[in-house]
Amino acid sequence: MDKFDAIIIGTGQSGPALARRLAGAGRKVAVIERKFFGGTCVNTGCTPTKTLVASAYAAHLARRAGDYGVTIAGPVSVDMKAVKARKDAVAGVSRRAVERSLKTLQGCTVYEDHARFLGANKVAVSGSVLTGEQIFINVGTRALVPPIPGLKDVPHLTNSSMMDIDFLPPHLIVLGGSYVGLEFAQAYRRFGSEVTVIELAPRLIACEDEDVSRAVAGFLEEEGIHVWVDSKVVGVEKQSDRIAVKVESAGTLSQVVGTHLLVAIGRRPNTDDLGLDKAGIATDPRGYIEVDDQLCTNVPGVWAMGDCNGRGAFTHTSYNDFEVVAANLLDHDQRSVTDRITAYALYTDPPLGRAGMTEAEVRKSGQPALISTIAMEDVSRAYEKGETKGFMKILVDRDSGLILGGAFLGLAGDEVIHTILDFMYAKAPYTIMQRAMHIHPTVSEFIPTMLGDLKPLQ
Ligand SMILES: Cc1cc2nc3c(=O)[nH]c(=O)nc-3n(C[C@H](O)[C@H](O)[C@H](O)COP(=O)(O)OP(=O)(O)OC[C@H]3O[C@@H](n4cnc5c(N)ncnc54)[C@H](O)[C@@H]3O)c2cc1C
């Protein structure tokens, strides 16, 4: 039996950082990874998809070169093998960096295999039994493949297998019109595929405000993506070398026939084969590990960090989990996940940056609020760059003047959102930013302007 002060299962976005802090504090640490170092973000999530999105943007801009007075002789074509090679190279750098940093970390032993609990402080891996005074679970999630009739008999792709594609799917059908599905949909459309998105909800990215959903659907359709909403997939079947997806929409049955099928309808936690029952660790009905606000499970000495605890689904929430756990355990700094403000981005082009409450949430809360909206067409930087799709929206509490939230769908929306996010953390009234002098010409210069134009939310 190998004894450790701490065992970390999974090398997602919190495990490796915590391993470094614990080893740095003199603890004897074991890290266990069954597949790729760096987990989803580095290998099958953020990094590779944003690399693909960048290639797709280059293709799109090249096709629009004439708009800028630039001539490209001949049609624009995309070399999918080169696109994949670039993506692999970028992701590979990050994966190897995580692996190297752990394998060269003093006081850290790395195991490369599947880990399973044998008891509350006991883990089996590679034929060994490890005991740890503290155990940190960072096992992440994987694509949810629903029990749609016929799906298991038809070749289908997930965000993971999409990473192996080095050719252009003639017609990609995407099940799921939310964050993961839409990024792939737009990228592959720009590479040259015909793309159909099928979404069960009445609109794309249904947890966003209606105006955001509408605008996103609008620019995706403008690029030639077929968008089906309010559409339930009731079956899938192979038709010679094609895939037919049977869809029920407004009481009518129809089918979409394509060449490739991407399933992007959600995630499920990697907790089903982790032996949690042997350790008595509680999960919710979907398998997410139940934790308190400091990420402790119901079993003393065991924490769950990252997507598997259901308290976040992003790289930054997972990394923040590490910060919360490290602060509480090593720095005598009582931090909690309830201190964080909702923030994320959708990396379509233009991107959506989001912080805090949506307009719908503010309305539902009933609190008196102010709102300001500006079309990107009225933002000079966007106009100059010829990228005027989208709009920005900010919501403010009428009485305190505190910013409640914002949705920035437009050029650099994923970056500009931080102007209000940091302000929200500072808990400063909007009137301070309203008087700030921002740099011209930028998208951010319009934030003070918007704050000077707040109207009551009707
Ligand atoms: C297509 C896609 C795009 C995304 N884009 C973004 C984005 O742009 N921005 C963003 O913030 N988030 C994005 N995300 C989400 C982001 O990737 C995750 O939130 C992030 O990776 C955090 O994951 P994690 O730390 O929980 O664990 P993960 O990164 O999922 O890592 C878990 C690790 O644990 C290992 N493991 C699992 N079980 C075991 C076991 N029993 N034994 C040993 N090892 C095990 C796995 O092999 C894996 O390496 C995206 C996700 C997807 C799918």
Side-chain angles (χ1 to χ4, degrees):
M1 193 123 68
D2 294 328
K3 278 177 121 177
F4 291 91
D5 296 318
I7 299 173
I8 297 172
I9 307 175
T11 63
Q13 290 301 305
S14 28
L18 187 64
R20 286 189 279 274
R21 277 300 312 274
L22 291 169
R27 311 276 170 91
K28 189 181 171 202
V29 179
V31 172
I32 310 171
E33 173 52 58
R34 70 178 179 190
K35 204 165 182 200
F36 297 133
F37 287 87
T40 309
C41 174
V42 167
N43 299 289
T44 60
C46 334
T47 304
T49 55
K50 272 31 128 194
T51 311
L52 293 175
V53 164
S55 291
Y57 178 71
H60 179 68
L61 206 57
R63 287 188 198 104
R64 291 189 58 211
D67 295 353
Y68 299 88
V70 175
T71 310
I72 294 181
V76 173
S77 61
V78 178
D79 176 349
M80 290 303 291
K81 286 200 173 3
V83 167
K84 178 178 181 291
R86 177 176 183 274
K87 183 265 297 172
D88 289 343
V90 173
V93 168
S94 298
R95 176 170 60 246
R96 285 189 296 276
V98 176
E99 180 171 358
R100 200 179 320 114
S101 77
L102 291 171
K103 287 186 173 171
T104 56
L105 184 64
Q106 222 176 350
C108 176
T109 308
V110 174
Y111 294 83
E112 292 182 67
D113 209 339
H114 184 95
R116 262 181 215 96
F117 278 89
L118 295 176
N121 66 347
K122 232 184 258 174
V123 173
V125 61
S126 298
S128 304
V129 176
L130 319 185
T131 60
E133 271 179 37
Q134 298 177 326
I135 301 184
F136 304 91
I137 307 170
N138 179 214
V139 293
T141 58
R142 62 184 186 273
L144 173 72
V145 179
I148 295 171
L151 185 57
K152 66 176 177 10
D153 305 321
V154 166
H156 54 269
L157 297 153
T158 64
N159 68 292
S160 299
S161 45
M162 283 298 284
M163 296 300 131
D164 301 328
I165 287 197
D166 64 355
F167 58 89
L168 189 69
H171 184 173
L172 179 66
I173 302 174
V174 180
L175 299 194
S178 200
Y179 308 92
V180 170
L182 296 186
E183 291 178 14
F184 278 117
Q186 189 182 41
Y188 274 82
R189 179 65 192 144
R190 289 177 170 194
F191 292 148
S193 296
E194 186 176 352
V195 175
T196 303
V197 175
I198 304 174
E199 167 58 47
L200 177 66
R203 54 194 171 86
L204 297 181
I205 39 172
C207 52
E208 301 298 339
D209 285 331
E210 276 190 53
D211 49 2
V212 172
S213 292
R214 215 171 25 248
V216 169
F219 65 69
L220 293 178
E221 284 177 324
E222 240 175 66
E223 290 189 25
I225 295 173
H226 312 291
V227 176
W228 291 51
V229 290
D230 228 341
S231 301
K232 184 174 179 196
V233 175
V234 291
V236 178
E237 69 180 28
K238 194 114 175 61
Q239 290 184 353
S240 64
D241 60 345
R242 310 216 131 213
I243 296 167
V245 178
K246 318 261 178 209
V247 181
E248 191 185 301
S249 195
T252 311
L253 267 184
S254 38
Q255 68 172 15
V256 182
V257 181
T259 55
H260 294 79
L261 180 63
L262 166 62
V263 180
I265 59 141
R267 312 282 301 165
R268 60 175 293 195
N270 292 324
T271 54
D272 45 331
D273 190 16
L274 195 52
L276 293 178
D277 51 328
K278 298 273 186 336
I281 297 168
T283 60
D284 73 10
R286 295 192 303 152
Y288 287 93
I289 299 172
E290 289 178 355
V291 289
D292 66 15
D293 293 343
Q294 296 190 331
L295 307 173
C296 305
T297 68
N298 63 313
V299 172
V302 182
W303 288 255
M305 308 179 297
D307 295 5
C308 69
N309 66 25
R311 302 290 289 259
F314 300 101
T315 282
H316 43 278
T317 48
S318 179
Y319 190 79
N320 185 253
D321 283 0
F322 143 67
E323 293 179 317
V324 168
V325 170
N328 289 316
L329 285 182
L330 299 169
D331 303 332
H332 307 292
D333 180 6
Q334 295 295 298
R335 288 181 66 176
S336 157
V337 289
T338 55
D339 297 336
R340 63 192 182 205
I341 297 167
T342 301
Y344 53 86
L346 162 73
Y347 293 90
T348 47
D349 173 35
L352 167 70
R354 277 269 304 108
M357 299 168 86
T358 61
E359 181 181 334
E361 284 166 349
V362 174
R363 285 182 189 284
K364 200 167 163 208
S365 75
Q367 67 195 106
L370 308 171
I371 186 168
S372 183
T373 306
I374 188 171
M376 292 306 288
E377 281 170 352
D378 298 327
V379 172
S380 43
R381 186 68 194 278
Y383 195 60
E384 288 148 11
K385 291 196 80 169
E387 301 193 15
T388 53
K389 294 194 165 76
F391 64 93
M392 297 189 285
K393 163 160 81 171
I394 302 180
L395 291 132
V396 168
D397 181 78
R398 189 194 64 191
D399 300 332
S400 65
L402 296 179
I403 296 177
L404 296 172
F408 292 6
L409 177 67
L411 175 66
D414 51 330
E415 297 287 349
V416 182
I417 195 71
H418 291 91
T419 54
I420 69 160
L421 182 60
D422 290 342
F423 219 73
M424 291 167 77
Y425 276 109
K427 296 189 171 62
Y430 79 89
T431 43
I432 295 177
M433 206 194 315
Q434 188 191 344
R435 290 172 179 217
M437 183 184 73
H438 280 193
I439 298 166
H440 173 77
T442 60
V443 176
S444 306
E445 75 178 311
F446 280 83
I447 311 301
T449 311
M450 290 174 74
L451 293 171
D453 191 32
L454 288 162
K455 307 264 184 329
L457 181 68
Q458 303 293 347

